[in-house]
């Protein structure tokens, strides 16, 4: 093996990507408003870097950011004639990842392709699926459709924790009372596991909590407290082991948008109460007791969740 090849192989061993890859799930990349038509943005996610832009129909395209020619970061490139053009030698790539043009006129190598992640927009966020094809639909918010609620999406920036650990909060019913002081919190009978998610419903004369985990990185809930409905979605994407970027969506029934600040204040409080624990926890599956049975169920679900590693 030549010295250059050996050095390249060493550089390929990226410790930010676990050997098995990351879970095959939908990950939030940015707010819809961050991706203007004609813009090219780069994001560090899943131990690599991706580039996002919009095709001629305005649909988001998410691709590995490293140009297959010499590895330039395509996020400093430009969208030209509906294709992503590398800043360095102007190779151009289409929305499916094929290299469509090399200005030198050389033959386009067969391997000149960008891995292209399935991408979509929903709840004010641009999403990418970690796989060749989505295994399941985008995260749902129980009791809500995009046209039946008024909602607002927010970015929380980078946090020092794993997304799947944060999402365990959604089925950690004890902490709702102990950490968050929610008196109405009670334990559902069962968790329903379906393709790509876990769902539960707890209802009493005083409250409703209808929760859903999608993948291992999104938790959404419909809450009814004091007869008032609210909708929340907490989601995040791994940046590298132990680090993630966070987003949340708050919603209220259509026409009640004046109540959005009230729902946001609740989410800000929940986030502020969880953050000191999540940012210092040395997570382990310790001594689980009977009240932790839903958490135990979730940990088994996470263990069995399929993973994917995009080609370098
Ligand atoms: S590095 Fe991208 S075209 Fe040369
Ligand atoms: Fe919490």
């Amino acid at each position: 093996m030549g010295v250059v090849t050996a050095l390249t192989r060493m550089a390929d061993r990226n410790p930010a990507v676990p050997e098995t890859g990351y879970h095959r799930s939908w990950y939030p990349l940015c707010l819809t408003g961050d991706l203007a038509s004609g813009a090219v943005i780069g994001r560090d996610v899943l131990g690599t870097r991706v580039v996002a832009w919009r095709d001629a129909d305005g649909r988001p395209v998410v691709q590995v950011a490293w140009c297959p020619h010499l590895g330039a970061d395509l996020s400093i490139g430009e969208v030209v004639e509906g294709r992503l053009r590398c800043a360095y030698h102007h190779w151009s790539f289409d929305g499916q990842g094929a290299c469509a043009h090399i200005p030198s006129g050389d033959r386009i190598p067969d391997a000149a392709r960008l891995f292209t992640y399935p991408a979509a927009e929903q709840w004010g966020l641009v999403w990418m699926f970690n796989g060749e094809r989505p295994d399941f639909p985008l995260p749902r918010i129980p009791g809500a459709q995009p046209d039946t609620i008024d909602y607002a999406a927010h970015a929380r920036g980078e946090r020092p924790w794993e997304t799947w650990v944060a999402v365990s909060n959604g089925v950690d019913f004890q902490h709702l009372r102990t950490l968050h002081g929610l008196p109405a919190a009670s334990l559902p009978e069962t968790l329903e596991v379906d393709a790509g998610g876990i769902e539960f419903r707890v209802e009493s004369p005083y409250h409703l909590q209808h929760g859903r985990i999608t993948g291992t990185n999104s938790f959404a809930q419909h809450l009814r407290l004091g007869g008032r409905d609210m909708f929340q979605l907490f989601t995040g994407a791994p940046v590298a082991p132990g680090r993630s970027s966070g987003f949340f969506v708050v919603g209220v029934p259509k026409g009640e948008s004046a109540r959005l600040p009230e729902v946001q204040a609740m989410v800000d409080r929940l986030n502020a109460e969880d953050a000191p624990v999540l940012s210092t926890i040395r997570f382990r599956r310790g001594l689980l007791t009977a009240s932790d049975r839903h958490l135990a169920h979730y940990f088994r679900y996470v263990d069995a969740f399929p993973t994917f590693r995009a080609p370098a």
Side-chain angles (χ1 to χ4, degrees):
M1 186 186 293
V3 173
V4 172
T5 313
L7 288 174
T8 306
R9 293 248 168 105
M10 280 169 69
D12 280 351
R13 255 183 254 128
N14 177 359
V17 184
E19 205 51 47
T20 51
Y22 288 92
H23 289 139
R24 294 179 63 99
S25 187
W26 284 103
Y27 293 103
L29 193 63
C30 63
L31 301 175
T32 287
D34 292 338
L35 191 57
S37 173
V40 182
I41 63 170
R43 290 288 187 273
D44 295 321
V45 65
L46 304 177
T48 186
R49 188 162 175 79
V50 301
V51 65
W53 53 287
R54 290 185 187 277
D55 67 15
D57 298 321
R59 286 182 303 235
V61 178
V62 178
Q63 298 171 315
V64 166
W66 310 118
C67 180
H69 182 210
L70 295 184
D73 181 346
L74 291 163
S75 72
I76 59 166
E78 276 181 86
V79 177
V80 179
E81 294 173 0
R83 294 197 291 248
L84 176 61
R85 190 178 75 180
C86 180
Y88 208 0
H89 311 96
H90 287 191
W91 288 23
S92 294
F93 302 89
D94 67 20
Q96 285 73 48
C99 179
H101 181 67
I102 295 181
S104 67
D106 292 347
R107 192 183 78 79
I108 298 174
D110 294 340
R113 288 197 66 83
L114 295 176
F115 182 78
T116 302
Y117 296 88
E121 272 175 288
Q122 181 101 286
W123 308 122
L125 298 167
V126 176
W127 302 83
M128 58 182 278
F129 187 85
N130 185 38
E132 311 86 339
R133 281 171 301 284
D135 295 339
F136 47 84
L138 286 159
R140 277 195 290 111
I141 301 179
Q145 298 290 335
D147 58 349
T148 63
I149 64 169
D150 286 325
Y151 58 90
H154 301 271
R156 290 182 70 190
E158 201 173 304
R159 309 92 45 94
W161 61 70
E162 303 282 357
T163 52
W164 68 268
V165 173
V167 164
S168 75
N169 249 236
V171 288
D172 184 337
F173 297 93
Q174 290 189 72
H175 99 292
L176 296 180
R177 191 163 43 79
T178 52
L179 182 68
H180 297 307
L182 296 174
S186 51
L187 204 62
E189 285 293 307
T190 54
L191 301 182
E192 304 291 335
V193 180
D194 57 51
I198 293 182
E199 199 151 331
F200 66 87
R201 195 179 164 99
V202 194
E203 203 163 359
S204 74
Y206 318 102
H207 90 300
L208 163 75
Q209 185 194 13
H210 185 176
R212 178 173 179 81
I213 289 171
T214 302
T216 58
N217 58 301
S218 294
F219 173 67
Q221 58 184 348
H222 170 198
L223 294 175
R224 186 177 301 135
L225 302 171
R228 285 142 84 89
D229 292 291
M230 64 181 88
F231 303 90
Q232 303 168 349
L233 168 66
F234 303 85
T235 184
V239 173
R243 282 160 49 209
S244 57
S245 59
F247 297 86
F248 67 90
V249 178
V250 290
V252 290
K254 198 102 192 149
E256 297 182 25
S257 59
R259 287 183 47 231
L260 280 174
E262 162 202 325
V263 184
Q264 175 151 358
M266 178 180 177
V267 167
D268 288 344
R269 178 172 72 82
L270 295 175
N271 285 339
E273 288 166 354
D274 282 325
V277 175
L278 290 173
S279 58
T280 55
I281 195 168
R282 188 174 289 181
F283 180 81
R284 66 185 72 182
R285 288 156 210 214
L287 300 171
L288 301 183
T289 62
S291 307
D292 295 316
R293 64 184 182 278
H294 295 319
L295 259 183
H297 194 146
Y298 171 73
F299 295 146
R300 289 195 298 275
Y301 162 90
V302 170
D303 285 345
F305 213 87
T307 57
F308 178 77
R309 227 181 131 97

